[in-house]
Amino acid sequence: MSKVKIKTGDKVRVTTGEHKGSEGVVTKILKDKNRVIVEGVNMVSKHEKPSATNPQGGIKELEAPLHISNVSLIDSDGKVTKVGYKSEDGKKVRFAKTNNQAI
């Protein structure tokens, strides 16, 4: 398994697939499956049976996970960038390779 360079809370853009060009914030990372859940992207409908907590049941909209290779980080300028690491004051810091600014 490769190192995951995208973290929760990062703003990303989908680079391939049906949702190409969509942007959103990463809400969850599934490291064991190499997938991320992006807020408002890849919405699917899930049918729910009526229960005590939800007596009506019905159709619920959820975000489905995307493979991590299909999303790219967006830097402060709004451009897609790769992530690098460097050491500043003895701490490991992520930076955007397009403009060398810390993330």
Side-chain angles (χ1 to χ4, degrees):
M1 181 166 35
S2 63
K3 181 167 175 62
V4 178
K5 295 185 177 184
I6 294 176
K7 306 291 181 196
T8 304
D10 286 346
K11 188 166 182 178
V12 295
R13 182 178 298 149
V14 180
T15 56
T16 60
E18 182 180 343
H19 303 284
K20 182 177 181 177
S22 300
E23 295 180 6
V25 177
V26 175
T27 57
K28 189 173 182 180
I29 296 177
L30 308 170
K31 279 190 176 183
D32 56 334
K33 296 181 181 179
N34 283 333
R35 295 187 173 269
V36 294
I37 297 178
V38 181
E39 186 177 324
V41 179
N42 200 20
M43 300 297 286
V44 295
S45 300
K46 181 178 180 188
H47 298 273
E48 283 194 347
K49 284 175 66 171
S51 64
T53 57
N54 186 8
Q56 279 290 45
I59 300 172
K60 187 177 179 183
E61 290 284 321
L62 296 173
E63 290 123 353
L66 294 165
H67 197 272
I68 203 159
S69 66
N70 294 341
V71 297
S72 293
L73 188 71
I74 298 176
D75 64 5
S76 58
D77 301 331
K79 297 178 182 177
V80 173
T81 184
K82 291 185 178 182
V83 178
Y85 290 93
K86 61 184 172 183
S87 180
E88 288 183 1
D89 302 326
K91 291 185 179 181
K92 191 173 178 181
V93 178
R94 291 189 315 151
F95 71 97
K97 289 195 174 183
T98 54
N99 57 10
N100 288 329
Q101 291 181 350
I103 300 173

